[in-house]
Amino acid sequence: MTLSLFDQFLSPVMFWIPLVAIAITLPWILFPGPTTRWVNNRSLTSQNWLLSQATSQIFLPINTPGHKWALLLSSLLIFLITMNTAGLLPYTFTPTSQLSINMGLAGALWMGVVILGMRTQPTHSLGHLLPEGAPALLTPILVIIETISLFIRPIALGVRLTANLTAGHLLIQLTSTATLVLLTIMPLTAIATGTLLFLLALLEAAVALIQAYVFVLLLSLYLQENV
């Protein structure tokens, strides 16, 4: 039971070829492309409005030099939302439930933000390792603690996204399995469990959107400290 429960998080393979790349690239076909018309269609207008609203909220506390990252973070937001929500469909695979993919995204972007801060303003970036007004005796300990917390940031980003998506998928699978088992034995209980399953699906859809937004928002906060 334990092995079959976690089989949904295994990377699907067909003819010894991992299908993660297809799972990552295929949903992008669903997004509408730019047109030469003067008036956009409803799908493209809705997409542009949602993207502009999310981008304005993310870059609200960041100064002007940090706005150069708007295209990258906006693309990352769309990518995470697509991957998170696509995994809720039947017979699909969620690439962002894999810790390796999330750690790769978080580690690369975090390292880029840190290198940017060290190149543009090294004094300001290193100043975050020592809080202002700290006692001299506690300086070595505080520097060590802040350094550890700095290197934990990409791990926290990747693990947070993986854990939230994995927990939601496990709850949905457990509830759906219980619904199918109780359907012939206890129909009334199965109806209640099915209602709970529907509510869990709605909650997981909201979690998929929120976790993508939190991932990009935390990266923008890290960017704010280094630009």
Side-chain angles (χ1 to χ4, degrees):
M1 180 63 183
T2 303
L3 293 177
S4 63
L5 189 62
F6 289 91
D7 281 346
Q8 59 175 319
F9 302 110
L10 296 178
S11 177
V13 178
M14 180 177 293
F15 300 114
W16 301 281
I17 300 176
L19 301 182
V20 178
I22 299 178
I24 291 176
T25 56
L26 190 60
W28 290 95
I29 302 176
L30 302 175
F31 288 97
T35 62
T36 57
R37 300 177 180 178
W38 286 11
V39 180
N40 295 327
N41 54 22
R42 296 178 181 178
S43 178
L44 188 58
T45 303
S46 301
Q47 177 185 346
N48 292 335
W49 181 81
L50 291 174
L51 185 59
S52 62
Q53 292 294 322
T55 306
S56 61
Q57 291 295 324
I58 291 174
F59 285 89
L60 187 62
I62 301 178
N63 52 15
T64 304
H67 291 179
K68 299 177 182 178
W69 288 60
L71 180 60
L72 176 62
L73 295 183
S74 301
S75 302
L76 178 63
L77 179 63
I78 296 176
F79 173 78
L80 291 177
I81 289 177
T82 306
M83 294 298 101
N84 295 348
T85 54
L88 297 175
L89 300 176
Y91 303 103
T92 55
F93 171 69
T94 310
T96 46
S97 63
Q98 303 294 312
L99 184 60
S100 57
I101 295 178
N102 296 334
M103 288 299 299
L105 289 173
L109 293 171
W110 170 82
M111 183 61 68
V113 170
V114 172
I115 293 176
L116 177 65
M118 292 298 180
R119 288 187 58 185
T120 56
Q121 42 184 6
T123 304
H124 181 72
S125 298
L126 293 175
H128 290 290
L129 300 179
L130 182 63
E132 186 178 358
L137 295 176
L138 298 179
T139 298
I141 301 177
L142 292 176
V143 170
I144 295 175
I145 293 175
E146 292 296 330
T147 304
I148 294 175
S149 65
L150 178 65
F151 283 96
I152 286 178
R153 286 180 175 180
I155 302 176
L157 282 176
V159 172
R160 180 187 295 109
L161 182 59
T162 305
N164 282 280
L165 295 180
T166 303
H169 284 64
L170 287 176
L171 283 175
I172 289 178
Q173 183 172 359
L174 289 172
T175 309
S176 61
T177 304
T179 303
L180 290 177
V181 172
L182 296 173
L183 190 60
T184 56
I185 303 175
M186 305 173 64
L188 294 179
T189 307
I191 293 175
T193 311
T195 305
L196 178 61
L197 178 62
F198 177 73
L199 296 177
L200 281 176
L202 294 180
L203 178 63
E204 185 63 16
V207 168
L209 299 176
I210 293 172
Q211 288 303 316
Y213 179 76
V214 169
F215 190 94
V216 179
L217 180 62
L218 289 176
L219 279 176
S220 66
L221 295 178
Y222 300 157
L223 179 64
Q224 179 187 0
E225 297 179 357
N226 291 277
V227 295

